[in-house]
Amino acid sequence: MERVRVIVAAGCVIAGVAIVPTHPGLAAPPVQAQSVAAATTLAVITTITVGSNPDGVAVNDADDTVYVTNFGSGDVSVINGRTGTVAGTITVGSGPIGVAVDQGDDTVYVANFSDDTVSVINGRTGTVDDTITVGDSPRGVAVDQGDDTVYVTNQVSNTVSVINGWTRTVDDTITVGDGPTGVAVNEGDDTVYVTNSTSGTVSVINGRTRTVDDTITVGGGPYGVAVNDGDDTVYVTNFSSNTVWVINGRTGSVDDTITVGTRPYGVAVDQRDDTVYVTNEGSNNVSVINGRTRTVAGTITVGSSPNGVAVDDSGTNAGLVYVANTGDNTMSVIARVSASLGSMSASAGSTVTVTLDVPQVDYDVDGSTVTSVSFGDDTATGLTPGVGDAWTLTVPAGSGTV
């Protein structure tokens, strides 16, 4: 028996059914019809053009709205996650880079690196309601959803500004390591993690006392950081050594190191299934890490110089992954897809249809999502995108009943 393999843009096998070999021009021997359970894989389902040099990404899980900061054009692209289209553009400060959403009141916070401010966007109206002055060169932003506190890393002043989301004022400033960039909050215990890119450390802040309780040495150039709230695991990208450090949040120790792509930048965790996504700016791809086994489960090719990454954790689009590609001004949308064949039997030289299913979205996936279909060692010809999420192809000679 051979296997039918549908290869998608991510380079992963997403479907397989048994076939019976036959010779060119001959009818295949009869086989008993059988149901096929399509496997699933992660793939880029669409690519959206945004502003100049996109960097940060954040998702409002409640209404599936995605916010992308465009460093070069000084604005934020607002994407309707249900249609996969840009719904609007909001002008903010100079050099917007980090972004986070307060899920409770639909407020969006944008760190403007070049003018030392944070723009406060009303997600319902799409307007900038306030501008807050923070430290020198603000970069990362994170929101503690439990108490509406916003943490902003200031890369040049080596501090974290603590903003009261209710009053929109800076309530405190915390000194951390040199070159703070990324920031993430474990809402379960109100712990804040800050990566210090110059000093090669991670500052552990007690959100209740607003003091640095611990400093973890990781070395190299720590950059992005994300927390799995369920098991208190912290993931830190190392831009210099092409690795991801796995920190035990309970003990403050580095438990593991995972090799990923070139110049890893952003990191995000799917809280539902413990999958970790790492953008590799130098290799133009995303490493997919199984958080349970701490191994790289796959690699997905995206746009040029991917930076920010975010996961939609709940609602209609739960599981969708958004990646900002700063080198080509686009955002890649990644989803789990499954493939099925429109006909259960076909002879060599005949035409069959491959259909993709993406349950999270109603819009059609890109025609480039499927790049080839192979029957064992034989590649189908005439692969053509059709209507909706379907592709037609010609069964290769040497293959028989599908």
Side-chain angles (χ1 to χ4, degrees), residues 83 133 162 185 192 261 340 350 361 364 381:
T83 63
T133 299
V162 183
V185 179
V192 184
S340 60
S350 62
V361 300
D364 293 341
T381 58

Side-chain angles (χ1 to χ4, degrees), residues 217-311:
T217 300
V218 289
Y223 214 83
V225 59
V227 180
N228 185 324
D229 295 332
D231 61 8
D232 202 15
T233 302
V234 185
Y235 299 92
V236 176
T237 60
N238 182 343
F239 196 78
S240 301
S241 65
N242 303 329
T243 57
V244 171
W245 289 294
V246 183
I247 297 173
N248 184 322
R250 299 186 179 98
T251 64
S253 60
V254 178
D255 282 359
D256 214 336
T257 303
I258 305 168
T259 299
V260 289
T262 305
R263 298 202 301 273
Y265 188 98
V267 57
V269 178
D270 189 329
Q271 304 291 339
R272 302 168 312 126
D273 62 6
D274 201 15
T275 301
V276 184
Y277 299 91
V278 177
T279 57
N280 302 303
E281 186 184 63
S283 48
N284 300 329
N285 54 30
V286 172
S287 296
V288 182
I289 297 173
N290 183 322
R292 299 186 177 107
T293 63
R294 296 177 181 174
T295 57
V296 176
T299 303
I300 305 169
T301 299
V302 289
S304 174
S305 300
N307 281 1
V309 57
V311 179

Side-chain angles (χ1 to χ4, degrees), residues 150 154 160-164 169-174 209-211:
V150 184
N154 303 303
V160 172
S161 296
V162 183
I163 298 173
N164 183 320
T169 56
V170 176
D171 278 0
D172 212 338
T173 301
I174 305 169
T209 63
R210 297 178 181 175
T211 56

Side-chain angles (χ1 to χ4, degrees), residues 327-342:
D328 59 15
N329 304 329
T330 65
M331 186 182 72
S332 300
V333 183
I334 298 171
R336 289 196 178 274
V337 301
S338 59
S340 60
L341 290 169

Side-chain angles (χ1 to χ4, degrees), residues 121-208:
I121 298 173
N122 184 323
R124 298 185 179 95
T125 63
T127 57
V128 176
D129 281 0
D130 211 339
T131 301
I132 305 168
T133 299
V134 288
D136 193 350
S137 303
R139 193 169 194 107
V141 188
V143 178
D144 188 329
Q145 308 291 335
D147 60 9
D148 202 19
T149 301
V150 184
Y151 298 91
V152 180
T153 59
N154 303 303
Q155 188 171 6
V156 174
S157 54
N158 302 328
T159 59
V160 172
S161 296
V162 183
I163 298 173
N164 183 320
W166 297 105
T167 63
R168 297 177 180 174
T169 56
V170 176
D171 278 0
D172 212 338
T173 301
I174 305 169
T175 300
V176 289
D178 294 340
T181 52
V183 57
V185 179
N186 185 334
E187 295 172 13
D189 59 9
D190 203 16
T191 301
V192 184
Y193 298 91
V194 175
T195 55
N196 304 302
S197 59
T198 305
S199 56
T201 60
V202 174
S203 296
V204 183
I205 298 172
N206 183 322
R208 299 186 179 99

